[in-house]
Amino acid sequence: MLKTYHIITYGCQMNISDSERITSVLENLGLKKSQKMKEADLIVINMCSVRQSAVDRVYGLIIKLQSLNLKSQTILTGCILKKDKKKMSSFFNYVLDIKDLSCWSKALNFKKEIKRDYLKITPRYSNSFSVNIPIMTGCNNFCAYCVVPYTRNKEISRPSNDIVKEVENAVEKGAKEIWLLGQNVNSYKDGKTTFPKLLEKINKIPGDFWIRFTSSHPKDFKDSLIKTMKTCKKTAPYLNLPVQSGDNEILKKMNRIYTIEDYKEIVEKLKKEIPNIALSTDVIVGFPTETKKQFQNTVNLFKEIKYDMAYISKYSRRAQTEAFKLKDDVSIKEKIKRERILNKIVAKTAFENNRKYIGEITDVLIDSETKNNSWLGKTKEYKTVKISQKIKNEKLMGELVKVKITKASLWGLKGELV
Ligand code: SAM
Ligand code: SF4
Ligand code: F3S
């Protein structure tokens, strides 16, 4: 009889969110969370395949599980490529699709459940003040390097009423920050409700909370969204707008559909309409055939846009994708070099941007406590702030507080509670 469970989650916010629905299903079956993997009757691994390093982590875990010789039952789920499913399935008791979550209880020999959309399952949030809410799943874009359209399949938008209800419930229970999630939130569509319309509906929900969303695809980033971000006051002035490369030829090979000129135009409009907007991006270095000259275009873009943050990835060749057919011809040494160059630029531009906040009094959502009663939080612009006073007060966690910014550093700010 299964009594306890332990979930290991790899990957993006979408997987973290899925694990919250898995938690809910397991708890409803009467299972209790075990902090230690070794002591759990059921171990769930929610995996990511975006880069080979993420898959290798699961292989590492398989070796660990084998060496521990546990009696636990094991489930593998998440984003899995066909070839890994074949190789890995013998090491797990079950390989289950997250989309079939409503039927997992049957697979585990518990009561039979009626098959229904897994996103209709009420999640058990791991964090009550910053809540992840998926608005869609899957992806239709087939960027040449990316596994997501193969692991999460076709794009499906959730009914807007379900999303609004989920946000209302979360806000009622104290959520201060709502993350709307999807691989390309800009292409959300439920009947007449487009993404800007959905933002408007959520903005009308009473309460003091911030709306964030990720990811956005530049090809679908319309003026109407910029206008909505400006007028809906709950929308936080922070945006992750993945560029992937600063070179038009590489963008074309990546099947990204936009040009760097289109991208810059969006950023210009955003900065004009929402002057305090903070920007981050995703970029891949060393995509097949990327020359030094083409990489230089990414360097130039980074210097021009002055990002606040960037998620820089070294290209990883993935089975099933279009780019798998191309030779992975940029050496790892060169990829590391390019990654370092971009990191240095972002460190500089982020520092410059951060300095602008010195002297300002701003709202900070407290989200973690370090040793010695030091507190950290985020501003609306998604800047990390360290509170300089040491405070012993458990109630601070998840609270919105006023902070005077006193210092800026490369990756964040420092300030005093006022
Ligand atoms: N939907 C989002 C978008 O359009 O940007 C991103 C989703 S993807 C799961 C997250 C990030 O992983 C991407 O933005 C990309 O930079 C990176 N990534 C995806 N495939 C990759 C690969 N094969 N090698 C290296 N990085 C990759
Ligand atoms: Fe992957 Fe492109 Fe879809 Fe993003 S938009 S999930 S990068 S295929
Ligand atoms: Fe996310 Fe990884 Fe899947 S980044 S969508 S968990 S492949």
Side-chain angles (χ1 to χ4, degrees):
M1 182 71 184
L2 299 174
K3 288 199 175 126
T4 54
Y5 71 93
H6 183 84
I7 306 179
I8 299 167
T9 310
Y10 298 116
C12 62
Q13 268 169 287
M14 197 72 193
N15 263 20
I16 294 171
S17 167
D18 285 350
S19 284
E20 293 175 344
R21 283 182 162 76
I22 298 171
T23 302
S24 164
V25 164
L26 298 179
E27 299 247 339
N28 284 341
L29 292 174
L31 275 75
K32 296 267 169 294
K33 186 176 184 161
S34 160
Q35 295 300 340
K36 290 189 184 150
M37 178 179 82
K38 277 194 266 184
E39 290 166 9
D41 300 325
L42 179 68
I43 301 169
V44 183
I45 291 147
N46 191 2
M47 79 174 279
C48 167
S49 297
V50 79
R51 282 172 285 270
Q52 188 54 38
S53 53
V55 177
D56 291 343
R57 249 181 256 154
V58 179
Y59 280 112
L61 199 64
I62 290 173
I63 294 168
K64 189 172 173 194
L65 284 171
Q66 282 176 328
S67 71
L68 288 171
N69 209 7
L70 302 174
K71 296 221 163 50
S72 330
Q73 299 272 299
T74 52
I75 297 178
L76 180 69
T77 189
C79 293
I80 319 172
L81 281 171
K82 258 192 234 149
K83 74 171 174 85
D84 292 315
K85 199 181 250 179
K86 252 192 207 160
K87 272 203 237 164
M88 286 178 178
S89 54
S90 61
F91 299 109
F92 294 88
N93 297 96
Y94 310 93
V95 179
L96 301 176
D97 193 332
I98 187 70
K99 289 218 173 84
D100 300 330
L101 183 58
S102 62
C103 301
W104 281 26
S105 53
K106 191 181 155 208
L108 294 168
N109 292 325
F110 281 85
K111 62 184 182 214
K112 201 173 160 183
E113 283 265 351
I114 300 158
K115 191 169 171 132
R116 60 180 176 136
D117 177 3
Y118 90 101
L119 290 173
K120 288 211 184 275
I121 295 169
T122 308
R124 185 78 59 113
Y125 301 128
S126 47
N127 181 335
S128 61
F129 55 86
S130 174
V131 170
N132 289 321
I133 300 189
I135 64 166
M136 62 212 296
T137 176
C139 184
N140 292 346
N141 291 315
F142 293 92
C143 300
Y145 49 80
C146 184
V147 298
V148 176
Y150 307 94
T151 60
R152 284 192 174 266
N153 306 316
K154 258 196 1 233
E155 183 184 288
I156 300 168
S157 293
R158 269 180 95 183
S160 61
N161 287 345
D162 289 8
I163 299 167
V164 170
K165 249 185 242 151
E166 197 178 332
V167 179
E168 278 170 350
N169 284 338
V171 171
E172 231 166 70
K173 291 193 179 113
K176 304 280 182 353
E177 178 177 73
I178 301 289
W179 279 96
L180 304 175
L181 303 182
Q183 290 305 336
N184 176 12
V185 291
N186 318 134
S187 66
Y188 173 87
K189 200 157 174 35
D190 171 35
K192 283 190 182 148
T193 311
T194 56
F195 186 58
K197 290 265 176 304
L198 180 70
L199 278 183
E200 281 167 20
K201 284 186 186 183
I202 295 172
N203 190 63
K204 279 191 197 133
I205 297 172
D208 201 6
F209 65 97
W210 298 340
I211 308 168
R212 301 191 191 279
F213 53 88
T214 195
S215 296
S216 289
H217 197 307
K219 81 171 166 64
D220 298 314
F221 210 96
K222 303 274 174 342
D223 290 356
S224 58
L225 178 53
I226 300 178
K227 203 172 138 223
T228 309
M229 285 175 74
K230 186 182 173 172
T231 50
C232 291
K233 293 297 171 209
K234 285 174 185 159
T235 311
Y238 164 75
L239 181 72
N240 172 257
L241 193 61
V243 70
Q244 308 301 358
S245 165
D247 183 82
N248 280 337
E249 261 175 65
I250 294 293
L251 283 175
K252 204 166 175 195
K253 286 187 183 169
M254 286 177 162
N255 190 30
R256 291 290 289 179
I257 321 284
Y258 54 87
T259 64
I260 224 52
E261 290 73 30
D262 300 331
Y263 184 91
K264 282 193 210 164
E265 200 183 318
I266 300 169
V267 171
E268 234 169 71
K269 283 182 189 163
L270 274 164
K271 286 187 175 171
K272 185 167 166 254
E273 296 299 330
I274 311 165
N276 62 334
I277 195 152
L279 283 176
S280 73
T281 197
D282 292 11
V283 69
I284 297 177
V285 292
F287 184 80
T289 74
E290 186 189 61
T291 61
K292 286 192 175 155
K293 215 170 147 198
Q294 288 171 325
F295 171 66
Q296 190 56 39
N297 285 332
T298 307
V299 169
N300 296 344
L301 180 86
F302 266 54
K303 285 184 181 163
E304 192 179 328
I305 306 260
K306 299 187 171 41
Y307 288 111
D308 292 86
M309 203 174 13
Y311 301 94
I312 305 163
S313 305
K314 296 184 282 295
Y315 172 72
S316 169
R317 188 167 174 249
R318 313 305 298 126
Q320 289 181 244
T321 64
E322 263 309 295
F324 188 73
K325 297 171 189 159
L326 303 171
K327 194 169 165 229
D328 187 4
D329 58 357
V330 181
S331 69
I332 182 71
K333 207 172 142 205
E334 182 62 24
K335 284 177 188 164
I336 293 171
K337 193 174 151 197
R338 292 180 190 182
E339 184 185 27
R340 277 206 196 116
I341 293 172
L342 293 183
N343 258 324
K344 258 194 181 166
I345 300 171
V346 187
K348 205 165 156 237
T349 55
F351 185 37
E352 272 170 34
N353 294 342
N354 288 350
R355 277 207 298 234
K356 288 186 230 149
Y357 297 96
I358 296 176
E360 263 187 28
I361 292 177
T362 184
D363 287 327
V364 173
L365 177 59
I366 300 291
D367 60 14
S368 53
E369 185 184 9
T370 60
K371 279 176 250 156
N372 319 324
N373 312 114
S374 281
W375 295 88
L376 295 165
K378 293 269 189 307
T379 67
K380 238 182 168 181
E381 295 85 1
Y382 207 54
K383 298 276 175 193
T384 301
V385 181
K386 187 172 180 197
I387 310 289
S388 38
Q389 296 107 321
K390 303 226 157 123
I391 306 156
K392 243 188 162 168
N393 178 1
E394 279 157 25
K395 286 193 189 131
L396 259 187
M397 185 66 98
E399 284 304 305
L400 272 173
V401 294
K402 290 259 181 248
V403 175
K404 181 167 186 186
I405 304 302
T406 52
K407 222 176 155 183
S409 65
L410 298 190
W411 300 113
L413 304 165
K414 216 170 170 186
E416 289 163 4
L417 280 185
V418 292

